[in-house]
Amino acid sequence: MAELRAEVLVLGAGMVGVGAALHLQSRGRDVIMVDRQELAGEGTSFGNAGIIECASVFPYMFPRDFGEILRYALNRAPQVRYRLRDLPTFAPWLLRYFRASSPKRALHSAMAELPLIRRSLVEHEALIREAGVPELLQRNGWLKLYRSEPTLKAALRDFERARQYGVEGDILDNAAIRLREPHLSGDFAGAIHLPAPAFVPDPGGLVKAYVALFRRKGGRFLAGDARTLEQASRGWRVSIEQGAVNAREVVVALGPWSDLVFERLGYPIPLGIKRGYHLHLAARGNAVLNRPVLDADQGFVLAPMNRGIRLTTGVEFAPRDAPPRPVQIERALPKAHGLFPLGEAVDARPWMGARPCLPDMLPVIGRAPRHDGLWFDFGHQHHGLTLGPATGRLLAEMMTGKEPFADPAPFAVERFG
């Protein structure tokens, strides 16, 4: 069996793992990236709305409004879905999520992540230039639609708060909505257009383009099983199809599957899962969607992907590996057809993925305290596509002894004991 060697082994070839691998490589490290899939970007990074959300100051925290909580609890909100029999599996995590979402702690999370959010688009632009795929970045921003006065009023309060941190946007009436998106239908209380965020019309393709860049620069990408990771005499060892890889240091960037490694090594990290679904549909006739559009009241996003119009859902709380239950897609479809002229489905069935979340909605980034050479980079909640290259820079700076561009302390695993 072949025994390959590298300085750093990165486990996971989604946007987060690829971001870390590229930044380590650019700082002179010999890196091997290992994933269970032979193609990169086939897991969580494949399914999202494609938005590089550089205007998202405040993370998705647990709501504090009792009426909203009650609607979620009764499964009456399209944004959230669960089955009662699954509740015991995620209720303890939800309680931690609720506690971490107090106004004081939520603001702490927002301010900790803000330097990463602000860096996100800059990092992507640099990598996209180097990878030579400018067609995978569009600059039309995205649109948030509100059908009722109460939801618009709440959104405007949040928008005014975000403006304090440099977020820019336009408040639109129905006429202004039609100017930006002539093929949308419906009566709306209003909308907010955020022009700064960029859009990626093929998120999985962008990950693959970054991996191609990694390989052109001498990196190696191999198929293997992260569950075989073990400490070796000179670092860490993992099995691959051709034999094994040995490296002095290892980065766990496995997203929702990171627990397969850290639990076995004795780290009590409260990793939770928010599942989500998408389905691609053709546009009817000459209808065009110019940017991603959120229907806030109905709980879905339409995004103009290369494959078709991608309908994405909100959150399903369920065990990560439970069979798919695309109820949210089924319920959103007629509403999506009413919003935009959609034709037949392009996909044979809805796609399902899992968002890796910590209760405070901050990732774990940094050194594992009880194992030399072990590093963590996972738990990016709804912002894996957005933050992967930025957190890759932060991690690489920490691993190579450089001054981090952001304070890494809020992301340390020690915050969980």
Side-chain angles (χ1 to χ4, degrees):
M1 294 177 66
E3 289 278 343
L4 302 178
R5 296 194 176 277
E7 291 178 285
V8 183
L9 169 65
V10 175
L11 300 178
M15 184 58 76
V16 173
V18 175
L22 281 167
H23 274 292
L24 286 163
Q25 185 184 60
S26 70
R27 287 158 180 77
R29 296 295 177 90
D30 178 28
V31 182
I32 290 179
M33 190 161 42
V34 171
D35 193 271
R36 63 178 181 170
Q37 306 275 0
E38 293 186 357
L39 295 175
E42 293 292 300
T44 304
S45 296
F46 181 80
N48 55 72
I51 303 168
I52 299 176
E53 187 47 297
C54 59
S56 181
V57 173
F58 301 103
Y60 294 94
M61 307 305 289
F62 198 102
R64 310 303 279 188
D65 177 75
F66 177 76
E68 190 175 4
I69 294 173
L70 185 61
R71 285 201 311 132
Y72 291 162
L74 297 175
N75 264 335
R76 293 180 178 173
Q79 295 84 359
V80 174
R81 176 82 182 166
Y82 75 98
R83 291 198 303 180
L84 190 61
R85 71 184 188 185
D86 291 330
L87 185 59
T89 65
F90 58 81
W93 186 88
L94 279 181
L95 181 58
R96 296 186 71 155
Y97 185 21
F98 176 78
R99 290 173 175 168
S101 298
S102 68
K104 181 178 179 180
R105 295 179 67 181
L107 182 61
H108 173 269
S109 291
M111 295 303 98
E113 194 171 75
L114 187 57
L116 307 183
I117 291 290
R118 287 174 170 166
R119 188 80 194 185
S120 60
L121 184 52
V122 173
E123 295 296 336
H124 272 289
E125 287 175 329
L127 290 179
I128 283 171
R129 283 194 300 270
E130 195 174 3
V133 287
E135 70 278 5
L136 291 182
L137 192 71
Q138 299 177 9
R139 300 299 299 267
N140 290 332
W142 72 305
L143 193 63
K144 298 183 178 184
L145 302 172
Y146 302 94
R147 294 178 179 270
S148 69
E149 290 295 339
T151 54
L152 176 62
K153 185 176 180 180
L156 291 176
R157 284 197 302 267
D158 292 341
F159 178 49
E160 289 303 320
R161 189 181 180 206
R163 274 180 161 167
Q164 300 174 31
Y165 300 95
V167 174
E168 297 181 355
D170 301 308
I171 301 169
L172 311 180
D173 59 16
N174 273 282
I177 293 170
R178 299 292 182 269
L179 285 174
R180 284 169 171 79
E181 296 293 345
H183 293 103
L184 294 182
S185 299
D187 291 322
F188 305 99
I192 299 174
H193 176 221
L194 299 170
F199 172 62
V200 177
D202 183 358
L206 183 61
V207 176
K208 291 174 176 61
Y210 287 171
V211 171
L213 172 64
F214 172 73
R215 282 175 154 161
R216 288 199 300 272
K217 297 171 68 175
R220 290 166 284 175
F221 173 47
L222 306 167
D225 188 348
R227 293 172 296 181
T228 65
L229 181 70
E230 60 183 359
Q231 281 191 289
S233 58
R234 288 185 289 178
W236 295 87
R237 182 180 185 275
V238 72
S239 296
I240 58 171
E241 292 181 354
Q242 302 91 339
V245 174
N246 289 272
R248 185 176 67 249
E249 297 177 291
V250 60
V251 177
V252 179
L254 294 164
W257 297 278
S258 296
D259 60 335
L260 300 178
V261 173
F262 70 70
E263 283 187 352
R264 188 164 47 84
L265 295 174
Y267 290 90
I269 304 170
L271 183 66
I273 299 298
K274 296 181 180 180
R275 302 205 312 183
Y277 299 82
H278 79 228
L279 181 71
H280 292 99
L281 302 107
R284 282 196 287 112
N286 295 320
V288 174
L289 192 66
N290 296 309
R291 56 182 61 77
V293 172
L294 166 69
D295 190 324
D297 296 75
Q298 306 291 0
F300 65 83
V301 171
L302 293 180
M305 297 290 176
N306 290 345
R307 183 172 171 80
I309 304 298
R310 179 180 286 184
L311 167 63
T312 72
T313 70
V315 169
E316 180 194 35
F317 286 107
R320 179 190 61 209
D321 301 321
R325 295 187 293 270
V327 175
Q328 289 165 298
I329 286 282
E330 295 166 5
R331 293 181 176 178
L333 266 172
K335 299 169 184 175
H337 279 277
L339 177 64
F340 182 81
L342 294 169
E344 295 296 318
V346 176
D347 303 325
R349 64 183 62 86
W351 179 91
M352 184 193 76
R355 306 174 183 97
C357 303
L358 284 307
D360 57 7
M361 292 294 108
L362 295 177
V364 172
I365 307 169
R367 186 189 303 272
R370 298 194 300 276
H371 294 82
D372 290 340
L374 176 64
W375 298 81
F376 294 143
D377 188 9
F378 59 83
H380 290 58
Q381 37 108 4
H382 299 256
H383 287 152
L385 175 71
T386 294
L387 293 180
T391 60
R393 171 179 283 276
L394 179 62
L395 181 73
E397 289 170 347
M398 297 169 69
M399 291 180 68
T400 57
K402 305 299 182 183
E403 181 70 23
F405 78 89
D407 181 8
F411 313 110
V413 68
E414 288 89 340
R415 71 188 193 267
F416 299 116

